[in-house]
Amino acid sequence: MELCSTRWRSLLSRAVFVILAASLLVGATFMTNATKAEAAPQATFGTSNPSDLTRSDNDSSVEVGLRFVPKQDGTINTIRFYKANSSASSTPSTVSLWSASGARLASASVPATTSTGWITVELPTTNQLTANTEYVVSAFARNGSYVSTRNYFASAQTSGSITMPRNAGVFKYNTQSQFPDEVYQASNYWIDPVFAANTTTTQPTAS
């Protein structure tokens, strides 16, 4: 009987060891599955009204935009612009997202509005942006109505996960929407990419 009891105790000890080892393995992998998530979208220029604005209403169609570089991978599905003229006809007809080489990556039509201030336009798709890569957002002012602040980009500016290089404000006069690549007196034309940076989160798993 003593021999039998000793054998059962040995088997029980081994079973407990196996269970504990399995538990440790599960615990070791419980918090190691990392997944990508997105931070809340961030408006580059905040929500307050810009200062030192010059309003232009010159009846010449112009694309005005902003060069920017995200510091992290992320997404953009919204573009904002600042509108100072209450006339509905002064509303830009489209907004666009471009690569640095001038390829149009996305665009959206803008309904005419008498509203002034920051106007928000959603793009039809969510667009993936790559860290340390330059992009351009723009608005096409068919009737030549836009606002600017001169010398705003006399030096590079940073806002959250977005860097705007020197002479980040760009424009192009044309009768149709076109990639803006000209600069004038380091002006800011108040076109705003609303960017959501990717973040890495760790989720529990029972594997």
Side-chain angles (χ1 to χ4, degrees), residues 20-204:
L20 287 174
S23 298
L24 288 173
L25 287 173
V26 170
T29 60
F30 193 72
M31 297 296 289
T32 59
N33 270 11
T35 58
K36 288 184 178 179
E38 288 184 359
Q42 179 184 13
T44 304
F45 295 119
T47 57
S48 58
N49 294 334
S51 58
D52 300 322
L53 286 178
T54 298
R55 182 176 129 183
S56 299
D57 298 289
N58 56 23
D59 297 326
S60 297
S61 299
V62 62
E63 190 100 21
V64 290
L66 174 78
R67 297 164 50 216
F68 70 99
V69 179
K71 294 187 288 185
Q72 299 170 251
D73 291 348
T75 60
I76 177 174
N77 65 1
T78 303
I79 296 174
R80 301 191 310 159
F81 60 86
Y82 193 82
K83 183 172 179 286
N85 191 332
S86 61
S87 170
S89 64
S90 70
T91 308
S93 56
T94 59
V95 294
S96 297
L97 170 69
W98 312 78
S99 71
S101 62
R104 198 189 307 261
L105 305 176
S107 65
S109 298
V110 184
T113 178
T114 58
S115 298
T116 58
W118 285 110
I119 307 298
T120 299
V121 184
E122 289 190 7
L123 298 171
T125 58
T126 297
N127 301 272
Q128 300 289 331
L129 303 189
T130 303
N132 303 314
T133 302
E134 184 171 290
Y135 299 90
V136 176
V137 286
S138 67
F140 181 57
R142 186 177 299 279
N143 293 324
S145 180
Y146 64 93
V147 295
S148 62
T149 301
R150 294 181 183 179
N151 297 314
Y152 188 96
F153 289 121
S155 59
Q157 306 285 335
T158 297
S159 174
S161 299
I162 294 294
T163 295
M164 294 155 283
R166 183 175 178 271
N167 288 324
V170 287
F171 72 94
K172 173 73 77 174
Y173 279 102
N174 197 57
T175 56
Q176 302 295 324
S177 175
Q178 188 174 357
F179 179 64
D181 58 1
E182 300 178 33
V183 299
Y184 178 72
Q185 294 188 353
S187 296
N188 183 2
Y189 300 103
W190 299 101
I191 312 298
D192 189 350
V194 181
F195 178 70
N198 288 347
T199 59
T200 301
T201 60
T202 304
Q203 295 184 345

